[in-house]
PDB file of all heavy atoms in Angstrom:
ATOM      1  N   PHE M  56      -2.200  10.733   2.384  1.00 98.00           N
ATOM      2  CA  PHE M  56      -2.975   9.680   3.038  1.00 98.00           C
ATOM      3  C   PHE M  56      -2.453   8.317   2.588  1.00 98.00           C
ATOM      4  O   PHE M  56      -1.981   8.167   1.466  1.00 98.00           O
ATOM      5  CB  PHE M  56      -4.459   9.736   2.644  1.00 98.00           C
ATOM      6  CG  PHE M  56      -5.169  10.959   3.087  1.00 98.00           C
ATOM      7  CD1 PHE M  56      -5.131  12.128   2.335  1.00 98.00           C
ATOM      8  CD2 PHE M  56      -5.878  10.963   4.279  1.00 98.00           C
ATOM      9  CE1 PHE M  56      -5.794  13.275   2.741  1.00 98.00           C
ATOM     10  CE2 PHE M  56      -6.547  12.097   4.698  1.00 98.00           C
ATOM     11  CZ  PHE M  56      -6.508  13.247   3.923  1.00 98.00           C
ATOM     12  N   ALA M  57      -2.608   7.324   3.450  1.00 98.00           N
ATOM     13  CA  ALA M  57      -2.420   5.927   3.036  1.00 98.00           C
ATOM     14  C   ALA M  57      -3.471   5.635   1.974  1.00 98.00           C
ATOM     15  O   ALA M  57      -4.617   6.131   2.043  1.00 98.00           O
ATOM     16  CB  ALA M  57      -2.574   4.997   4.216  1.00 98.00           C
ATOM     17  N   GLU M  58      -3.113   4.866   0.972  1.00 97.00           N
ATOM     18  CA  GLU M  58      -4.039   4.595  -0.134  1.00 97.00           C
ATOM     19  C   GLU M  58      -5.387   4.114   0.363  1.00 97.00           C
ATOM     20  O   GLU M  58      -6.429   4.549  -0.135  1.00 97.00           O
ATOM     21  CB  GLU M  58      -3.420   3.548  -1.055  1.00 97.00           C
ATOM     22  CG  GLU M  58      -4.227   3.313  -2.297  1.00 97.00           C
ATOM     23  CD  GLU M  58      -3.529   2.386  -3.275  1.00 97.00           C
ATOM     24  OE1 GLU M  58      -2.286   2.248  -3.221  1.00 97.00           O
ATOM     25  OE2 GLU M  58      -4.229   1.823  -4.122  1.00 97.00           O
ATOM     26  N   ASP M  59      -5.411   3.266   1.371  1.00 97.00           N
ATOM     27  CA  ASP M  59      -6.695   2.752   1.887  1.00 97.00           C
ATOM     28  C   ASP M  59      -7.499   3.802   2.647  1.00 97.00           C
ATOM     29  O   ASP M  59      -8.686   3.637   2.875  1.00 97.00           O
ATOM     30  CB  ASP M  59      -6.434   1.579   2.814  1.00 97.00           C
ATOM     31  CG  ASP M  59      -5.997   0.336   2.094  1.00 97.00           C
ATOM     32  OD1 ASP M  59      -6.113   0.270   0.849  1.00 97.00           O
ATOM     33  OD2 ASP M  59      -5.507  -0.603   2.767  1.00 97.00           O
ATOM     34  N   ASP M  60      -6.845   4.898   3.041  1.00 98.00           N
ATOM     35  CA  ASP M  60      -7.502   5.942   3.829  1.00 98.00           C
ATOM     36  C   ASP M  60      -7.818   7.203   3.031  1.00 98.00           C
ATOM     37  O   ASP M  60      -8.305   8.192   3.594  1.00 98.00           O
ATOM     38  CB  ASP M  60      -6.625   6.325   5.022  1.00 98.00           C
ATOM     39  CG  ASP M  60      -6.429   5.176   5.991  1.00 98.00           C
ATOM     40  OD1 ASP M  60      -7.321   4.300   6.064  1.00 98.00           O
ATOM     41  OD2 ASP M  60      -5.393   5.146   6.669  1.00 98.00           O
ATOM     42  N   VAL M  61      -7.547   7.203   1.735  1.00 98.00           N
ATOM     43  CA  VAL M  61      -7.851   8.361   0.905  1.00 98.00           C
ATOM     44  C   VAL M  61      -9.355   8.608   0.961  1.00 98.00           C
ATOM     45  O   VAL M  61     -10.123   7.680   0.711  1.00 98.00           O
ATOM     46  CB  VAL M  61      -7.357   8.180  -0.546  1.00 98.00           C
ATOM     47  CG1 VAL M  61      -7.818   9.324  -1.430  1.00 98.00           C
ATOM     48  CG2 VAL M  61      -5.849   8.040  -0.595  1.00 98.00           C
ATOM     49  N   PRO M  62      -9.780   9.822   1.297  1.00 98.00           N
ATOM     50  CA  PRO M  62     -11.227  10.102   1.316  1.00 98.00           C
ATOM     51  C   PRO M  62     -11.877   9.796  -0.033  1.00 98.00           C
ATOM     52  O   PRO M  62     -11.268   9.937  -1.082  1.00 98.00           O
ATOM     53  CB  PRO M  62     -11.277  11.603   1.621  1.00 98.00           C
ATOM     54  CG  PRO M  62      -9.990  11.904   2.300  1.00 98.00           C
ATOM     55  CD  PRO M  62      -8.985  10.996   1.677  1.00 98.00           C
ATOM     56  N   GLU M  63     -13.092   9.384   0.008  1.00 98.00           N
ATOM     57  CA  GLU M  63     -13.814   8.954  -1.192  1.00 98.00           C
ATOM     58  C   GLU M  63     -13.750  10.009  -2.296  1.00 98.00           C
ATOM     59  O   GLU M  63     -13.517   9.691  -3.455  1.00 98.00           O
ATOM     60  CB  GLU M  63     -15.282   8.639  -0.847  1.00 98.00           C
ATOM     61  CG  GLU M  63     -16.050   8.004  -1.976  1.00 98.00           C
ATOM     62  CD  GLU M  63     -15.476   6.664  -2.414  1.00 98.00           C
ATOM     63  OE1 GLU M  63     -15.015   5.872  -1.567  1.00 98.00           O
ATOM     64  OE2 GLU M  63     -15.462   6.393  -3.634  1.00 98.00           O
ATOM     65  N   ASN M  64     -13.924  11.278  -1.939  1.00 97.00           N
ATOM     66  CA  ASN M  64     -13.936  12.343  -2.971  1.00 97.00           C
ATOM     67  C   ASN M  64     -12.524  12.655  -3.486  1.00 97.00           C
ATOM     68  O   ASN M  64     -12.364  13.500  -4.369  1.00 97.00           O
ATOM     69  CB  ASN M  64     -14.602  13.587  -2.440  1.00 97.00           C
ATOM     70  CG  ASN M  64     -13.827  14.268  -1.331  1.00 97.00           C
ATOM     71  OD1 ASN M  64     -12.956  13.678  -0.678  1.00 97.00           O
ATOM     72  ND2 ASN M  64     -14.125  15.532  -1.081  1.00 97.00           N
ATOM     73  N   GLN M  65     -11.503  11.971  -2.974  1.00 98.00           N
ATOM     74  CA  GLN M  65     -10.130  12.199  -3.396  1.00 98.00           C
ATOM     75  C   GLN M  65      -9.509  10.964  -4.058  1.00 98.00           C
ATOM     76  O   GLN M  65      -8.351  10.946  -4.441  1.00 98.00           O
ATOM     77  CB  GLN M  65      -9.257  12.576  -2.188  1.00 98.00           C
ATOM     78  CG  GLN M  65      -9.698  13.848  -1.483  1.00 98.00           C
ATOM     79  CD  GLN M  65      -9.399  15.074  -2.311  1.00 98.00           C
ATOM     80  OE1 GLN M  65      -8.254  15.324  -2.671  1.00 98.00           O
ATOM     81  NE2 GLN M  65     -10.414  15.845  -2.615  1.00 98.00           N
TER      82      GLN M  65
END
Side-chain angles (χ1 to χ4, degrees):
F56 295 86
E58 186 174 339
D59 289 346
D60 297 331
V61 173
E63 189 61 38
N64 68 341
Q65 300 288 303

